[in-house]
Amino acid sequence: MRATQERLAKRSWPPFEDRSAAWVALSQAWIFLDAQESIRLLPRLDTSAREALLIQLNNHNPLAPQDWETIQAQVKENELNDAIIDMIDQENVVLQLNAKLANSVAKQLLNFLRAAAPEQSEMTSERDKNLERYFKLVKHCLIYDPALAESLMENLFQGYAGADAFKERWPECVTHLAAIITIWYNFTPLREQALGFLKTRTPSHLH
């Protein structure tokens, strides 16, 4: 495999010949032999092939937080966040993100939620979907890092409770806040911290 990879890297390609399929095939083959080699080939792939490879890698054997750190150094932040969000939408996926990546994905989802937009049915539905994605992200983190999960829920609550972007759709904001508090309370390992946080950090305008 390594010899094939070296020949592929050194090969002189004719003009206009597409070499991407060869790198995709090689990166997929490495998944079953050495995941780290597959990860190192990520920069050789285009955006859609990178996302597909990340999903295959994680589905084959869930990537550890240190693996995601390696990937972060090779893939642009927004592109990686989009790939993680697509993974969150999958059934039975296991995600073990490092704190930096989990916070980056959470921030992107919160930005989607806070984006000023009319209270139209399609926009409301999209915000509901992103809130559900945020809850799923927290649920993943809760399994291996409860402190990270707690931090994400605190950031979500604060992002809603004091967001000026919600002035024109306050009813929706209140509905989402109620869902946030309910879900947070139902995360049993976080219940005590949640109650303590809500008692001391809830803004006065919500009392």
Side-chain angles (χ1 to χ4, degrees):
M1 283 286 290
R2 293 186 191 280
T4 300
Q5 184 170 321
E6 290 172 2
R7 288 197 300 271
L8 185 59
K10 294 177 181 178
R11 178 179 172 182
S12 178
W13 294 82
F16 309 114
E17 184 172 343
D18 183 11
R19 70 191 73 180
S20 60
W23 284 114
V24 168
L26 186 61
S27 64
Q28 290 174 336
W30 273 119
I31 291 174
F32 305 98
L33 299 173
D34 186 340
Q36 295 304 312
E37 285 295 333
S38 189
I39 289 171
R40 278 191 275 273
L41 291 176
L42 283 167
R44 298 275 190 177
L45 311 180
D46 62 28
T47 300
S48 60
R50 271 196 294 270
E51 178 171 336
L53 181 64
L54 287 172
I55 291 173
Q56 288 177 286
L57 275 164
N58 195 68
N59 286 345
H60 175 66
N61 188 26
L63 296 165
Q66 58 268 30
D67 295 323
W68 288 112
E69 287 183 12
T70 302
I71 292 166
Q72 281 178 284
Q74 301 183 65
V75 181
K76 292 180 180 179
E77 182 179 17
N78 286 344
E79 181 186 330
L80 184 53
N81 288 351
D82 289 341
I84 297 297
I85 290 170
D86 285 342
M87 290 184 200
I88 289 172
D89 287 339
Q90 291 185 325
E91 295 292 333
N92 302 316
V93 69
V94 176
L95 287 173
Q96 303 177 86
L97 309 179
N98 61 66
K100 182 178 178 181
L101 181 54
N103 276 293
S104 180
V105 174
K107 182 179 179 181
Q108 183 163 315
L109 288 171
L110 185 55
N111 285 341
F112 291 158
L113 289 164
R114 293 181 58 177
E119 211 167 346
Q120 299 170 348
S121 58
E122 64 272 17
M123 292 302 300
T124 300
S125 176
E126 188 64 24
R127 286 192 289 268
D128 288 344
K129 183 186 297 184
N130 283 314
L131 183 60
E132 182 62 27
R133 286 168 171 158
Y134 198 108
F135 291 147
K136 288 181 179 179
L137 172 64
V138 173
K139 192 173 182 179
H140 284 294
C141 296
L142 186 59
I143 295 171
Y144 65 93
D145 192 343
L148 173 58
E150 170 65 18
S151 174
L152 293 178
M153 288 304 297
E154 291 177 5
N155 291 342
L156 177 61
F157 178 83
Q158 289 179 314
Y160 262 85
D164 291 338
F166 293 124
K167 286 181 178 178
E168 295 182 359
R169 45 188 170 89
W170 184 247
E172 179 188 320
C173 177
V174 172
T175 299
H176 281 180
L177 274 172
I180 291 167
I181 293 170
T182 300
I183 294 293
W184 196 356
Y185 182 82
N186 287 333
F187 286 145
T188 305
L190 305 182
R191 184 171 296 167
E192 185 176 345
Q193 298 99 305
L195 291 173
F197 182 89
L198 292 169
K199 286 178 181 177
T200 59
R201 303 292 293 276
T202 300
S204 59
H205 64 271
L206 294 177
H207 288 175

